[in-house]
Amino acid sequence: MRTLAFITSALCAGFATTTFAFAAPANLGHFEAASTTANAYTGAITVAARQITGAFGQTYDVEPFGQATGKTRSAADGPSFADLLGVDAGTPVVLLKVRAEKIAPSAPSGGLCDAAPTTFLAYASVAGELHLAAFKGATVGAGARAEDFCGTYNYMR
């Protein structure tokens, strides 16, 4: 698979976005649920270039929103992405805007933000593990509120 690079020079939600590999081959493919929340909400997931699909019937159509590092705050009054995702402060974090969320009635826990629409995802990929955080607010990062954080979900190859 080719790495898809998305280039922008704009500033989005307080993050200086630069060239980054959103759909790097290491971040694509099938991941097994590795945390209690991932087991309860999605089961295994499949990550494609513009879509994340859960085994329980959730589909998230996504687009790149920016890139941060673990030390970046997830919200103006919230913890860092490192604290949320359980990664080092220097770990790259990819930010995704959810364009569409489809939840099958069979999904036992609903969507990643329960009944609220999931609007942003943040993930870090470390040594075959995918650490995912979900948000329900109008933005993520400096302009966001801590209460817009929904949960973290961990997966592994």
Side-chain angles (χ1 to χ4, degrees):
M1 289 219 163
R2 287 184 14 209
T3 298
L4 301 176
F6 298 94
I7 303 171
T8 180
S9 59
L11 294 176
C12 296
F15 298 105
T17 56
T18 57
T19 303
F20 65 99
F22 159 62
N27 301 333
L28 299 177
H30 182 81
F31 292 85
E32 293 295 326
S35 65
T36 304
T37 52
N39 276 307
Y41 279 80
T42 63
I45 61 170
T46 301
V47 179
R50 296 273 180 161
Q51 190 173 76
I52 298 172
T53 305
F56 297 154
Q58 304 94 333
T59 302
Y60 298 90
D61 295 337
V62 297
E63 68 180 24
F65 184 71
Q67 185 170 354
T69 62
K71 68 182 175 186
T72 307
R73 290 190 123 2
S74 62
D77 59 343
S80 69
F81 285 114
D83 290 337
L84 285 183
L85 298 171
V87 299
D88 292 334
T91 302
V93 175
V94 176
L95 307 174
L96 304 172
K97 178 156 183 57
V98 177
R99 298 314 257 158
E101 175 184 46
K102 298 172 201 90
I103 308 300
S106 60
S109 298
L112 293 173
C113 290
D114 298 312
T118 304
T119 56
F120 288 92
L121 300 173
Y123 79 82
S125 181
V126 180
E129 296 178 358
L130 189 73
H131 304 269
L132 181 73
F135 301 86
K136 62 184 178 189
T139 191
V140 66
R145 302 170 307 165
E147 64 258 24
D148 292 336
F149 167 69
C150 300
T152 56
Y153 309 87
N154 297 311
Y155 304 90
M156 61 189 309
R157 292 254 184 228

